[in-house]
Amino acid sequence: DAGVIQSPRHEVTEMGQEVTLRCKPISGHNSLFWYRQTMMRGLELLIYFNNNVPIDDSGMPEDRFSAKMPNASFSTLKIQPSEPRDSAVYFCASSHLWGQGAGETQYFGPGTRLLVL
Amino acid sequence: GENVEQHPSTLSVQEGDSAVIKCTYSDSASNYFPWYKQELGKRPQLIIDIRSNVGEKKDQRIAVTLNKTAKHFSLHITETQPEDSAVYFCAASKDNYGQNFVFGPGTRLSVLP
């Protein structure tokens, strides 16, 4: 298995532009997570999906952020318009949740390093 | 909501010595506690985890202990090696429809040769 795949790996954009980050989870996993990592705030969960349905988006910082999961093998995180304070590494992770069982291992993608100028 | 604290924030040890990182959590309902290692510029990777029905778990040089009463858990690395140098994150989560991990702020471990 190729693991969690994210694209692009690096993104440099100007303030006000739209940014779209992409993620392909591990095949067979039914949960997908978007995290943001910065030096100041550490690893923050932005949103997670289970069976393509958003379960908790309370970590999404503001309306400029949106995420979708149209099918089991693809998710996007969009920032529109982007701002310099959005600069961070964005990780996607996936896992398989069995029923309502306890947490299961989350496998992280390589991340997208975003720089908003 | 859950709050996870982690100490120390930085830790330097001599190669061959042991390293211990401690985490505390606030939600007594939390019952799954993974530890992730993140090397510079890389993704976080699971190194060991423990569930609340177990007090200790060991995998070669790495062990994790859990004290549910005190709501803290610790990572122990013995015979440290330079390749153990990384940032280590603890996390806590609980049974629910989903797996909302709350991560600690991380500990930067440096193993000096």
Side-chain angles (χ1 to χ4, degrees):
Chain A
D1 196 321
V4 177
I5 299 172
Q6 289 186 248
S7 64
R9 296 291 306 276
H10 303 272
E11 178 80 22
V12 180
T13 191
E14 292 187 344
M15 182 174 62
Q17 297 298 305
E18 177 179 296
V19 175
T20 299
L21 311 181
R22 298 173 176 80
C23 175
K24 176 179 169 54
I26 292 173
S27 177
H29 282 186
N30 60 2
S31 296
L32 183 139
F33 308 79
W34 282 102
Y35 290 90
R36 178 172 67 177
Q37 186 176 39
T38 61
M39 287 295 293
M40 290 298 294
R41 302 176 68 89
L43 261 172
E44 301 175 277
L45 178 66
L46 301 178
I47 185 171
Y48 70 90
F49 297 83
N50 186 263
N51 292 323
N52 313 336
V53 176
I55 302 301
D56 185 352
D57 64 354
S58 60
M60 296 286 261
E62 48 196 279
D63 292 345
R64 297 184 298 105
F65 286 70
S66 63
K68 294 182 179 179
M69 191 164 186
N71 57 62
S73 59
F74 184 66
S75 176
T76 60
L77 178 67
K78 186 174 294 186
I79 308 173
Q80 165 64 13
S82 59
E83 297 182 2
R85 60 194 169 116
D86 301 331
S87 298
V89 180
Y90 290 82
F91 287 104
C92 174
S94 73
S95 72
H96 191 89
L97 176 65
W98 300 90
Q100 295 188 21
E104 297 294 337
T105 301
Q106 293 185 16
Y107 297 87
F108 282 74
T112 295
R113 190 173 298 274
L114 173 65
L115 178 60
V116 183
L117 301 174
Chain B
E2 176 67 277
N3 181 51
V4 177
E5 296 184 355
Q6 186 172 345
H7 299 280
S9 57
T10 60
L11 178 60
S12 293
V13 300
Q14 290 294 134
E15 182 177 357
D17 288 350
S18 296
V20 180
I21 302 170
K22 297 180 180 180
C23 286
T24 60
Y25 61 99
S26 60
D27 190 339
S28 57
S30 290
N31 58 8
Y32 176 64
F33 308 93
W35 285 89
Y36 283 80
K37 174 184 180 182
Q38 186 177 26
E39 297 176 357
L40 188 63
K42 301 286 183 65
R43 74 191 77 185
Q45 292 193 296
L46 180 80
I47 54 171
I48 196 167
D49 57 9
I50 191 168
R51 299 186 188 276
S52 59
N53 59 347
V54 176
E56 182 174 0
K57 184 176 178 180
K58 191 173 181 180
D59 182 3
Q60 299 183 336
R61 296 186 297 107
I62 294 173
V64 57
T65 58
L66 171 65
N67 184 325
K68 287 180 59 180
T69 303
K71 290 189 284 188
H72 68 70
F73 56 111
S74 299
L75 177 71
H76 304 253
I77 306 174
T78 59
E79 300 172 22
T80 54
Q81 301 168 3
E83 51 265 38
D84 295 329
S85 297
V87 178
Y88 291 80
F89 294 95
C90 63
S93 77
K94 59 186 177 182
D95 284 335
N96 59 14
Y97 185 60
Q99 305 160 64
N100 191 347
F101 283 18
V102 177
F103 282 88
T107 295
R108 183 174 299 279
L109 173 65
S110 299
V111 179
L112 309 174

